[in-house]
Amino acid sequence: MMNIIKPLNNSRRKFLKEATIAISVVAMAPNLVIPTLAQPLDIDLGEYKPSYFSANEWAFILAATDRLIPADATGPGALDTNVPVFIDKQMQGRFGNALDWYMQPPFLSAKPEMGYQSSLTPAQTYRQGIKATEDYCHQTYQKSFAELSDSEKDMVLSQLQLGEIQFSDLSSMQFFSFLLQNTKEGYFADPIHSGNKNLASWKMIGFPGARASFKEWVAYPNVEYPLGPVSIEGERG
């Protein structure tokens, strides 16, 4: 796993395990777009046609999520687990359209605990944030983000995270925050939300998923659970 500010130096598994504190929420979250049962969950990323993002935006999403969770010897990356598909689908749901958020002015500069402070929905933030980032990359490197070297991509993502790239119509830090949040969600969520393909991240960290009962294991603390994960739809890892 890559930390945008500084490398984690072989602590990828530790970081991913710590991130799973949110799995119980992400796996069942009511605001996520849930595909119909007729829609296949085992989507081939190379054949997937995004329904929200344009071709140029999709190239950015693929490249950015690949740098946020790259594949390595520890486990699969964002592209292996269909994280970009997850993000594309969320743009058209309650999250992407901020349907459950208070979105009335005034929008002020305030601490995070004061709530979201922007007139832009997450979907609009992605659209404008990708365009602004691409404009920056063309001005700075004469290339699109997807064409940059890995080190250059990491530098741009780090600058977004720290707010060092100034956008005229939105916060680069807010854009990066959505991107990182949704990348982790797509990696760890139940496959019913179109990410975590083949339960790959759950298998990597030993998360059992939606198994119906664990009562027989209450008397065995600190014993590794021997069974693989199960998804909401009954897929077994």
Side-chain angles (χ1 to χ4, degrees), residues 19-30 188-190 193 202 207 209 232:
T20 59
I21 193 171
I23 282 184
S24 60
V25 176
V26 173
M28 306 293 184
F188 287 116
D190 189 279
H193 304 300
W202 290 2
F207 180 66
I232 292 174

Side-chain angles (χ1 to χ4, degrees):
M1 164 63 70
M2 160 195 169
N3 181 305
I4 297 304
I5 296 180
K6 68 170 69 172
L8 289 181
N9 296 329
N10 299 321
S11 60
R12 181 176 191 263
R13 175 177 285 271
K14 179 176 181 293
F15 177 85
L16 292 174
K17 283 188 174 181
E18 291 172 349
T20 59
I21 193 171
I23 282 184
S24 60
V25 176
V26 173
M28 306 293 184
N31 291 342
L32 297 180
V33 174
I34 299 178
T36 64
L37 298 183
Q39 182 176 356
L41 299 180
D42 189 16
I43 299 170
D44 187 307
L45 183 62
E47 297 178 358
Y48 178 76
K49 304 298 182 185
S51 51
Y52 177 77
F53 293 114
S54 68
N56 290 337
E57 292 168 344
W58 187 239
F60 173 89
I61 293 294
L62 292 172
T65 57
D66 184 45
R67 293 310 302 153
L68 292 175
I69 306 183
D72 62 16
T74 303
L79 301 188
D80 301 312
T81 53
N82 281 357
V83 168
V85 179
F86 168 89
I87 296 176
D88 181 59
K89 291 184 179 297
Q90 295 314 307
M91 294 301 98
Q92 302 167 83
R94 303 190 71 83
F95 168 77
N97 291 286
L99 295 182
D100 299 313
W101 300 6
Y102 184 81
M103 294 291 290
Q104 301 301 315
F107 302 105
L108 307 173
S109 177
K111 295 180 179 180
E113 55 264 32
M114 299 304 293
Y116 185 63
Q117 298 289 335
S118 174
S119 62
L120 300 175
T121 66
Q124 292 169 335
T125 298
Y126 266 92
R127 179 140 287 158
Q128 295 188 32
I130 292 173
K131 182 181 184 305
T133 303
E134 289 291 355
D135 288 344
Y136 172 83
C137 290
H138 281 288
Q139 293 169 5
T140 306
Y141 300 100
Q142 292 74 54
K143 299 177 183 178
S144 69
F145 180 83
E147 295 173 324
L148 301 180
S149 66
D150 287 348
S151 61
E152 290 170 337
K153 291 173 186 172
D154 293 350
M155 176 61 71
V156 172
L157 291 173
S158 177
Q159 290 173 313
L160 292 174
Q161 182 183 41
L162 299 174
E164 294 177 352
I165 300 176
Q166 298 295 314
F167 296 159
S168 61
D169 52 357
L170 77 158
S171 164
S172 60
M173 293 177 68
Q174 181 60 72
F175 168 54
F176 178 86
S177 177
F178 281 148
L179 177 63
L180 180 60
Q181 169 192 328
N182 298 150
T183 298
K184 291 190 289 186
E185 288 173 345
Y187 194 68
F188 287 116
D190 189 279
I192 199 172
H193 304 300
S194 299
N196 192 12
K197 182 178 179 180
N198 298 326
L199 303 169
S201 69
W202 290 2
K203 287 187 284 188
M204 181 183 68
I205 63 174
F207 180 66
R211 287 188 173 274
S213 175
F214 301 96
K215 63 181 181 179
E216 63 271 27
W217 286 91
V218 172
Y220 300 96
N222 302 317
V223 175
E224 184 175 353
Y225 190 69
L227 303 179
V230 176
S231 74
I232 292 174
E233 289 286 281
E235 178 185 357
R236 294 176 180 270

